[in-house]
Amino acid sequence: MMDITNNKLDTALIDSTIDFVKQTLAHAEGGHDWWHVYRVWKLSKTIAHGENEANMLVVELGALLHDIADAKFHDGDETIGSKLASDFLKSKQVEKDIIDRVLNIIQNISFKNSFESSTTQSIELNIVQDADRLDAMGAIGVARTFNYGGFKNREIYNPNIKPETFLTKEAYKNSITPTINHFYEKLLLLKDKMTTSTGKQLAIQRHRFMETYLKEFFDEWNGKR
Ligand code: ADP
Ligand code: NI
């Protein structure tokens, strides 16, 4: 009986979180919009099935709120996302422990933060982080990357500008290289950063697809096909 009541409450909370995210991201760039969040939310649930003991409310809220205010679209402000999410969850009377665990996901999910060592990893963070990384890979990853490059008015490719290996978060954030370089600077590195068993498995095909895509791209670029 208790469980049924909780589940009903959770469903109402998830539904109002979805509305909040859709509203907040109404004018977002196409690779960081509600549909990115939707895919990460669905994939997080798939990944969570293969893991033990994840708190599903934390996973779902973390997935839904993880990109509520990405710093790169807010003048580099890395606190605004947690602030918005925290205010929202408090307004829905969510208990403090759940809020803290959701905020931990929002604050630590980003690729750029993987340059700094983290002691805040949790199973829920691992799940949402793998889902977010998978959405940067494969066919969706290709689409998102060129959408972002277009949004930033970047070149598609420039043979004179070689991909860089970024050693710091600042260097990564300040990069203005052509869009193809992003595959070498980030996307092809993601496969080995997966931490859940389902995430590792799903990453294999998405990685292979990007390799095939890049081979085709360069063959066409060089007039071979
Ligand atoms: P994170 O929040 O994990 O640091 P980002 O938001 O930077 O990740 O990246 C999400 C997606 O946005 C990338 O996978 C890519 O598709 C696109 N993107 C971000 N930065 C770039 C870039 N410099 N060039 C092309 N695409 C980018
Ligand atoms: Ni994301």
Side-chain angles (χ1 to χ4, degrees):
M1 196 60 198
M2 189 65 193
D3 275 357
I4 293 169
T5 318
N6 276 340
N7 284 342
K8 267 192 189 152
L9 280 176
D10 287 358
T11 308
L13 174 60
I14 297 296
D15 285 347
S16 52
T17 306
I18 291 170
D19 287 344
F20 171 66
V21 175
K22 281 182 180 168
Q23 268 174 33
T24 310
L25 295 181
H27 305 288
E29 177 265 320
H32 292 81
D33 61 359
W34 156 249
W35 295 113
H36 161 63
V37 172
Y38 168 86
R39 293 187 300 268
V40 171
W41 174 48
K42 295 278 173 191
L43 209 44
S44 293
K45 291 200 266 188
T46 302
I47 294 171
H49 278 301
E51 301 298 310
N52 297 324
E53 295 179 30
N55 179 317
M56 284 314 291
L57 184 60
V58 173
V59 168
E60 292 199 43
L61 292 175
L64 288 170
L65 293 166
H66 86 276
D67 267 337
I68 195 72
D70 189 316
K72 65 178 155 314
F73 303 117
H74 292 85
D75 293 328
D77 186 340
E78 291 184 17
T79 61
I80 185 168
S82 342
K83 170 94 178 65
L84 273 179
S86 170
D87 289 350
F88 170 76
L89 294 171
K90 279 182 194 156
S91 80
K92 297 288 166 194
Q93 278 88 43
V94 176
E95 62 182 277
K96 184 172 182 308
D97 173 59
I98 300 282
I99 298 185
D100 288 346
R101 292 163 71 179
V102 172
L103 295 186
N104 181 53
I105 294 178
I106 299 173
Q107 285 156 1
N108 294 291
I109 193 169
S110 179
F111 177 78
K112 61 186 179 307
N113 292 333
S114 71
F115 292 100
E116 291 157 6
S117 63
S118 163
T119 52
T120 48
Q121 219 67 22
S122 65
I123 182 62
E124 292 85 7
L125 171 57
N126 286 346
I127 289 167
V128 181
Q129 193 167 48
D130 276 9
D132 193 33
R133 285 173 172 167
L134 283 163
D135 202 58
M137 303 172 70
I140 299 273
V142 172
R144 290 180 74 210
T145 301
F146 284 103
N147 197 76
Y148 187 86
F151 176 77
K152 290 281 192 180
N153 201 24
R154 304 245 170 97
E155 284 177 304
I156 291 173
Y157 175 53
N158 182 335
N160 301 321
I161 305 177
K162 299 290 168 224
E164 295 172 48
T165 304
F166 297 113
L167 297 176
T168 68
K169 175 173 160 178
E170 280 313 303
Y172 173 73
K173 279 199 318 193
N174 295 330
S175 153
I176 50 157
T177 55
T179 301
I180 278 286
N181 294 19
H182 194 64
F183 286 85
Y184 299 93
E185 292 163 355
K186 172 181 174 184
L187 306 181
L188 293 171
L189 309 179
L190 293 174
K191 176 175 68 72
D192 294 330
K193 288 182 181 277
M194 296 291 149
T195 55
T196 65
S197 58
T198 309
K200 284 177 190 169
Q201 216 180 313
L202 295 177
I204 295 170
Q205 183 166 335
R206 292 187 188 222
H207 183 89
R208 205 177 289 146
F209 180 85
M210 291 191 294
E211 287 181 330
T212 307
Y213 173 80
L214 289 167
K215 179 167 186 329
E216 184 75 19
F217 180 96
F218 287 112
D219 282 352
E220 291 178 11
W221 187 278
N222 293 313
K224 288 192 187 161
R225 292 176 200 270

